[in-house]
Amino acid sequence: MIRRDWIKLLAASSAATMLPIPSLTAGPFEGRRILFQGDSITDAGRNKEINEANNIQALGYGYSALISAQLISDNKEFQIYNKGISGHKVFQLIDRWQKDAIDIKPDVISILIGVNDFWHTLSNGYEGTVETYIDDYRKLIDQTLTALPKVKIIICEPFVVEGGTAITPEWTPAFDGYKKGSLAISKEFKLPFVPFQEYFNRALKSAPASYWCPDGVHPSIAGSTLMAKAWMETFKRI
Amino acid sequence: MIRRDWIKLLAASSAATMLPIPSLTAGPFEGRRILFQGDSITDAGRNKEINEANNIQALGYGYSALISAQLISDNKEFQIYNKGISGHKVFQLIDRWQKDAIDIKPDVISILIGVNDFWHTLSNGYEGTVETYIDDYRKLIDQTLTALPKVKIIICEPFVVEGGTAITPEWTPAFDGYKKGSLAISKEFKLPFVPFQEYFNRALKSAPASYWCPDGVHPSIAGSTLMAKAWMETFKRI
């Protein structure tokens, strides 16, 4: 090998490591705005410092990013945002809805919320019930439709993957109420519904929870891909 | 809303933010091992603390993750790794090849390297030439095939997206030599080749560099999706 200037190489390597954020954004097309909202499943490690649309780091490592890759590739008009925050329950979406949903003026809002509304009653002293969940969810949808009468809202079913390490017997049948609650909200407001539970139940016939969703709540890359497929099935019909 | 214990909620929220790493891994199936190797385009912000296969954070935000999502979803036997490192040139792959390639015992190694072999001659005083690149690339392939005679190696073409903010007139036609060099290596060793440049050139007819690859080197999510499609076309034929 030829002589190389190692100090300069090191500097070059460090500079390249700090990728400029705009380089990972597909833009600047204006068009149909889609917003993903929810808890840690939607958050999926997204970079919360980045607010622009279609940025791969801002979209996180989850189903939203996989869906976005497909949508952006097929249609250059989409502007996609992810504002999921780990640990959130439906009332916490209400608390930040103006800033993290209404102000973005999305054409489509996809909401996946509910697992913490139940989970945190087991482990964190949260006192909300399934009725709290449904009542708060109704307020959230009312607020959204009042502010954005033309928005299309997609209700995603909260799910639990049986066999996951975090899933104790207490989840069954208690968590069913939250799944049914999200379906009831979708019916009440005539909103499209993504039946994630059914997809995971079918997937469990070909591989265990460790493959799709090791702790039963947070999907692996395989589980995120499954969610993206389920979501696209619903999205194609709206 | 009912009374809520905010301190507990805060604790719950923090705990949920720290996702357990194994929960994002699809496993524990054993099977065909695929390794992605290269520079920042492959690295794509991957978490280098995680060494297990099929982990969405370890796969990064780039084309490798999008390919993995597709492969893992279709076939439960794949074990996929990404060991790209930002700023690397082909000689730096040689330096870490035993640990970051041979020791992983992959069945398939996909290599995308070359942009820094040229770029760093412009901006960072790197003294390698296109001959250095080809000679070093030949050593890398020789070393690989000696250690792993049955491995399938996929050569990915380094590319430049015209109109990107980092692309100066100095790139043309000088960078062509590196693209041709990677093709020459693929022919010399009869290895499958992914013609990324052709895909980006075609894509530029429907949207500018700002959409696919803003700086001309690091793809957006749209560009990464395009790369995943190109790669799959080659992979299907091996």
Coordinates of all heavy atoms in Angstrom, one line a residue, chain A residues 110-140:
Chain A
S110 N -52.4 8.4 11.3 CA -52.5 7.0 11.7 C -52.2 7.0 13.2 O -51.1 7.4 13.6 CB -51.5 6.2 10.9 OG -51.4 4.9 11.4
I111 N -53.1 6.4 14.0 CA -52.9 6.3 15.4 C -52.8 4.9 15.9 O -53.7 4.1 15.6 CB -54.1 7.0 16.2 CG1 -54.3 8.5 15.6 CG2 -53.9 7.1 17.7 CD1 -55.6 9.1 16.1
L112 N -51.8 4.6 16.7 CA -51.6 3.3 17.3 C -51.4 3.6 18.8 O -50.3 4.0 19.2 CB -50.5 2.5 16.7 CG -50.1 1.2 17.5 CD1 -51.3 0.3 17.7 CD2 -48.9 0.5 16.8
I113 N -52.4 3.4 19.6 CA -52.3 3.7 21.0 C -53.1 2.7 21.8 O -54.2 2.3 21.4 CB -52.7 5.2 21.3 CG1 -52.2 5.7 22.7 CG2 -54.2 5.4 21.2 CD1 -50.8 6.1 22.7
G114 N -52.7 2.4 23.0 CA -53.5 1.5 23.9 C -52.7 0.5 24.7 O -53.1 0.2 25.8
V115 N -51.5 0.1 24.3 CA -50.8 -0.9 25.0 C -50.4 -0.4 26.4 O -50.5 -1.1 27.4 CB -49.7 -1.5 24.2 CG1 -48.5 -0.6 24.1 CG2 -49.2 -2.9 24.9
N116 N -50.0 0.8 26.5 CA -49.5 1.4 27.8 C -50.7 1.7 28.7 O -50.6 1.7 29.9 CB -48.7 2.6 27.6 CG -47.4 2.3 26.9 OD1 -46.7 1.3 27.2 ND2 -47.0 3.1 25.9
D117 N -51.9 2.0 28.0 CA -53.1 2.3 28.8 C -53.5 1.1 29.7 O -54.0 1.2 30.8 CB -54.3 2.7 27.9 CG -54.0 4.0 27.1 OD1 -53.2 3.9 26.2 OD2 -54.6 5.0 27.5
F118 N -53.1 -0.1 29.2 CA -53.3 -1.3 30.0 C -52.0 -1.7 30.8 O -52.1 -1.9 32.0 CB -53.7 -2.5 29.1 CG -53.7 -3.8 29.9 CD1 -54.7 -4.0 30.8 CD2 -52.7 -4.7 29.7 CE1 -54.7 -5.2 31.5 CE2 -52.7 -5.9 30.4 CZ -53.7 -6.1 31.4
W119 N -50.9 -1.7 30.1 CA -49.6 -2.2 30.7 C -49.3 -1.5 31.9 O -48.8 -2.1 32.9 CB -48.5 -2.1 29.6 CG -47.3 -2.9 29.8 CD1 -47.1 -3.9 30.8 CD2 -46.1 -2.9 29.0 NE1 -45.9 -4.4 30.7 CE2 -45.2 -3.9 29.6 CE3 -45.7 -2.2 27.9 CZ2 -44.0 -4.1 29.0 CZ3 -44.5 -2.5 27.4 CH2 -43.6 -3.4 27.9
H120 N -49.4 -0.1 31.9 CA -49.0 0.7 33.0 C -50.0 0.5 34.2 O -49.6 1.0 35.3 CB -48.9 2.2 32.6 CG -47.7 2.4 31.7 ND1 -47.4 3.6 31.2 CD2 -46.8 1.5 31.1 CE1 -46.3 3.5 30.4 NE2 -46.0 2.3 30.3
T121 N -51.1 -0.1 34.0 CA -51.9 -0.4 35.2 C -51.3 -1.6 36.0 O -51.5 -1.7 37.2 CB -53.4 -0.8 34.8 OG1 -53.4 -2.0 34.1 CG2 -54.1 0.3 34.0
L122 N -50.6 -2.4 35.3 CA -50.0 -3.6 35.9 C -48.7 -3.2 36.6 O -48.4 -3.7 37.7 CB -49.6 -4.7 34.9 CG -50.7 -5.3 34.0 CD1 -50.1 -6.4 33.1 CD2 -51.8 -5.9 34.9
S123 N -47.9 -2.4 36.0 CA -46.5 -2.2 36.4 C -46.2 -0.9 37.0 O -45.2 -0.7 37.6 CB -45.6 -2.5 35.3 OG -45.9 -1.7 34.2
N124 N -47.0 0.1 36.7 CA -46.6 1.5 37.1 C -47.7 2.3 37.8 O -47.6 3.5 37.9 CB -46.2 2.2 35.8 CG -45.0 1.6 35.1 OD1 -43.9 1.6 35.7 ND2 -45.2 1.0 33.9
G125 N -48.7 1.6 38.4 CA -49.6 2.3 39.2 C -50.6 3.2 38.4 O -51.2 4.1 39.0
Y126 N -50.7 3.1 37.1 CA -51.6 3.9 36.4 C -53.0 3.5 36.7 O -53.3 2.3 36.8 CB -51.3 3.8 34.9 CG -52.3 4.5 34.0 CD1 -52.5 5.8 34.1 CD2 -53.0 3.8 33.0 CE1 -53.4 6.5 33.3 CE2 -53.9 4.4 32.2 CZ -54.1 5.8 32.3 OH -55.0 6.4 31.5
E127 N -53.9 4.4 36.9 CA -55.2 4.1 37.4 C -56.3 4.2 36.3 O -57.5 4.0 36.6 CB -55.6 5.1 38.6 CG -54.7 4.8 39.8 CD -55.0 5.9 40.9 OE1 -56.0 6.6 40.8 OE2 -54.2 5.9 41.8
G128 N -56.0 4.4 35.1 CA -57.0 4.4 34.0 C -57.5 3.1 33.8 O -56.9 2.0 34.0
T129 N -58.8 3.1 33.3 CA -59.5 1.8 32.9 C -59.7 1.8 31.4 O -59.4 2.7 30.7 CB -60.8 1.7 33.7 OG1 -61.6 2.8 33.1 CG2 -60.7 1.9 35.2
V130 N -60.3 0.7 31.0 CA -60.6 0.6 29.6 C -61.6 1.7 29.2 O -61.6 2.2 28.1 CB -61.1 -0.8 29.2 CG1 -62.5 -1.1 29.8 CG2 -61.2 -1.0 27.7
E131 N -62.5 2.1 30.2 CA -63.5 3.2 29.9 C -62.7 4.5 29.8 O -63.1 5.3 28.9 CB -64.5 3.3 31.0 CG -65.5 2.2 31.1 CD -64.9 0.8 31.6 OE1 -64.0 0.9 32.4 OE2 -65.5 -0.2 31.2
T132 N -61.7 4.7 30.6 CA -60.9 5.9 30.5 C -60.3 6.0 29.1 O -60.3 7.0 28.4 CB -59.7 5.9 31.5 OG1 -60.1 5.5 32.7 CG2 -59.0 7.2 31.5
Y133 N -59.7 4.8 28.6 CA -59.1 4.7 27.3 C -60.1 5.1 26.2 O -59.8 6.0 25.4 CB -58.6 3.3 27.1 CG -58.1 2.9 25.7 CD1 -56.9 3.5 25.2 CD2 -58.9 2.1 24.9 CE1 -56.5 3.1 23.9 CE2 -58.4 1.7 23.6 CZ -57.2 2.3 23.2 OH -56.8 1.9 21.9
I134 N -61.3 4.5 26.3 CA -62.3 4.8 25.2 C -62.8 6.3 25.3 O -62.8 6.9 24.3 CB -63.5 3.8 25.3 CG1 -63.0 2.4 25.0 CG2 -64.6 4.2 24.4 CD1 -64.0 1.3 25.3
D135 N -63.0 6.8 26.5 CA -63.5 8.2 26.6 C -62.4 9.1 26.1 O -62.7 10.1 25.4 CB -63.8 8.5 28.1 CG -65.0 7.8 28.6 OD1 -65.8 7.3 27.7 OD2 -65.2 7.7 29.8
D136 N -61.1 8.9 26.5 CA -60.1 9.8 26.1 C -59.9 9.7 24.5 O -59.6 10.7 23.9 CB -58.7 9.4 26.8 CG -58.7 9.9 28.2 OD1 -59.7 10.6 28.6 OD2 -57.7 9.6 28.9
Y137 N -60.0 8.5 24.0 CA -59.8 8.3 22.6 C -60.9 9.0 21.8 O -60.6 9.7 20.8 CB -59.9 6.8 22.3 CG -59.0 6.3 21.1 CD1 -58.5 5.0 21.1 CD2 -58.7 7.1 20.0 CE1 -57.7 4.5 20.1 CE2 -57.9 6.7 19.0 CZ -57.4 5.4 19.0 OH -56.5 5.0 18.0
R138 N -62.1 9.0 22.4 CA -63.2 9.7 21.7 C -62.9 11.2 21.7 O -63.1 11.9 20.7 CB -64.5 9.4 22.5 CG -65.8 10.0 21.8 CD -67.1 9.6 22.5 NE -67.3 8.2 22.4 CZ -67.4 7.4 23.4 NH1 -67.2 7.8 24.7 NH2 -67.7 6.1 23.3
K139 N -62.4 11.7 22.9 CA -62.1 13.2 22.9 C -61.0 13.5 21.9 O -61.1 14.5 21.2 CB -61.5 13.5 24.3 CG -62.5 13.7 25.4 CD -61.9 14.0 26.7 CE -62.7 13.5 27.9 NZ -62.0 13.3 29.1
L140 N -60.0 12.6 21.7 CA -58.9 12.8 20.8 C -59.5 12.9 19.4 O -59.1 13.8 18.6 CB -57.9 11.7 20.9 CG -56.7 11.8 20.1 CD1 -55.7 12.8 20.8 CD2 -56.0 10.5 19.9

